Amino acid sequence: MKYVSTLPIETVIVISPHAIAYSDYIHISPGKHASGDFSQFHAGNVRIEVDYDTELVKKITQSAKKYHIFAGTLGKDDDLDHGTMTPLYFLNKYLKDYKVVRIGISGLSPLTHYRFGQCIKEAVGDKNVLLIASGDLSHRLKEDGPYGYKEEGPLFDHDIITAWKNSDFMRFLTFDPIFTEAAAECGLRSFQIMAGALDQKKIKPHYYSYEGPFGVGYGICGFEICGEDQTRDIGNQYKKKMQEEVKKIKEHEDDYVRLARTTIEHYVK
């Protein structure tokens, strides 16, 4: 966080899995101002207040609409959530006079979250922005933790940390949803949006820490933009990968499965 104080940050975008979330819509907090406190954690004296960057919110919403992604400021508003306030609490020790854009996650596909991140990238342009992809890792690390233990928990956290260290953003898109549900994670879709916002950027990872003393994984990693890298078009690479896998499946269909699939495809299209 201290390093951030040396940068000319105008706006902080926080993607939080604890903000308002819909199954089929990525919610961007509306309005001009918001506040919240940690009273649910018995620390009501700790209060965070922010001014929203309404101009950037409008640009992100317009970009999402252009690319047919269901995202925007529709829906209800609420107080700042702990997934937003926790990083801002530490950030405020080093940075002042910035505006905020708060974004939730959704039940939409990994690629849609990535594409939405690309909308953020387009909307930001040359603006000096810090993006925080907030969220815990697995909640299944210990038997005496709040959610108990499952072997998928430590495995998920290991995979995420490895992906961070290697800037392997493709990994964020390729997790088996059954596996991630067993791991009880909450930050993955935040990372998917972040990856899209860094599409085709040359980046340098700065891995800081990982711990899970209470049965929940907490990790911190920063990504510094160092230029352009057109080979890192992860979204298109992922789409091509999925198309190839579907093609292989179709090649091994029997007549009954093929009939069923073509019937459904004809009805939908």
Side-chain angles (χ1 to χ4, degrees), residues 16-18 105 134-139 156 184-190:
S16 172
H18 300 289
I105 60 174
S134 179
D136 298 329
L137 302 185
S138 172
H139 290 62
F156 174 83
E185 59 78 29
C186 78
L188 181 58
R189 282 165 286 186
S190 293

Side-chain angles (χ1 to χ4, degrees), residues 78-92:
D78 65 344
D79 293 338
L80 295 179
D81 62 281
H82 65 276
T84 299
M85 291 189 293
T86 299
L88 293 185
Y89 171 82
F90 293 101
L91 185 65
N92 286 345

